[in-house]
Amino acid sequence: MAAAYFYHMTDSTLAETLPVLLEKCLGAGWRAMVRGSSEMQLKAIDMTLWKGKPTSFIPHGIAGGEHDADQPILLTMDAGNNGAKCLFSIGGAPVTAEEIEPLERCFILFDGMDEEATAHARTQWKALTSAGAEAVYWSQETGRWQEKARSAKT
C-alpha cells in the first residue's frame, strides 16, 4: 500500500508546494491525479501550473476533456484515474485506503493555519493508518520541510 505523506503547510502556500511535488512525481516517471474539493480551487491550480517557472513546464489538464486518460497530471474532483501512481488530496478532498492501495504515493496537503483543515488531516491520518497505510508527517516549523512523524508499519 502506498504511504500517505501529509504536508502541513505553514510557511508556504499550496501554489508553492504543489508544483514542486508534482515535478518530483513526473521526474520519477509517475502520472498524478490532483483531487480538489471545488472547481474554483482546481481552476486556480490550473492557472498556477500554467504560470509556473519559465524553466519548467508541468503538463496537466482538468478532468472532463476527451484526453483525460492521456494527461500526465489530471486535476479532478472525482475518484477516476488516469493511470496515476500518485494521488494528491488538496482542500480536504477525500482519500480512501482502498484507492491508494495500488499507488506509489498519496500526498495530503493542508493549510496549517486553518484549524478545520488541520483537524480534517488528523481524521484522514487516523482513517488511513487504521486501514494499514503507512503515514508520514512533514512540517515546516523550522522553515524547511522536515519529517516529524511516521506511523508504525502494520
Side-chain angles (χ1 to χ4, degrees), residues 31-84:
R31 289 175 172 263
M33 281 190 21
V34 177
R35 184 176 300 153
S37 56
S38 74
E39 282 186 42
M40 188 171 88
Q41 180 186 52
L42 293 178
K43 286 180 181 177
I45 292 298
D46 179 47
M47 291 307 300
T48 295
L49 296 177
W50 282 117
K51 294 179 178 180
K53 298 181 287 185
T55 56
S56 69
F57 170 67
I58 300 176
H60 69 283
I62 295 179
E66 62 183 85
H67 301 289
D68 287 359
D70 299 324
Q71 297 294 341
I73 298 169
L74 186 63
L75 310 179
T76 185
M77 292 188 332
D78 300 322
N81 199 325
N82 63 332

Side-chain angles (χ1 to χ4, degrees), residues 10-134:
T10 53
D11 286 349
S12 61
T13 65
L14 179 64
E16 294 166 332
T17 305
L18 182 61
V20 172
L21 294 172
L22 288 171
E23 284 182 333
K24 289 181 185 232
C25 286
L26 291 175
W30 298 336
R31 289 175 172 263
M33 281 190 21
V34 177
R35 184 176 300 153
S37 56
S38 74
E39 282 186 42
M40 188 171 88
Q41 180 186 52
L42 293 178
K43 286 180 181 177
I45 292 298
D46 179 47
M47 291 307 300
T48 295
L49 296 177
W50 282 117
K51 294 179 178 180
K53 298 181 287 185
T55 56
S56 69
F57 170 67
I58 300 176
H60 69 283
I62 295 179
E66 62 183 85
H67 301 289
D68 287 359
D70 299 324
Q71 297 294 341
I73 298 169
L74 186 63
L75 310 179
T76 185
M77 292 188 332
D78 300 322
N81 199 325
N82 63 332
K85 291 293 182 189
C86 298
L87 172 63
F88 288 81
S89 167
I90 60 174
V95 174
T96 67
E98 294 79 22
E99 71 184 320
I100 70 169
E101 179 80 32
L103 302 178
E104 296 290 333
R105 297 275 189 287
C106 175
F107 297 88
I108 297 172
L109 284 65
F110 62 100
D111 181 351
M113 302 303 185
D114 180 332
E115 289 182 26
E116 188 175 315
T118 301
H120 182 69
R122 286 184 182 120
T123 300
Q124 288 178 303
W125 175 286
K126 288 177 188 172
L128 292 173
T129 57
S130 293
E134 180 182 3

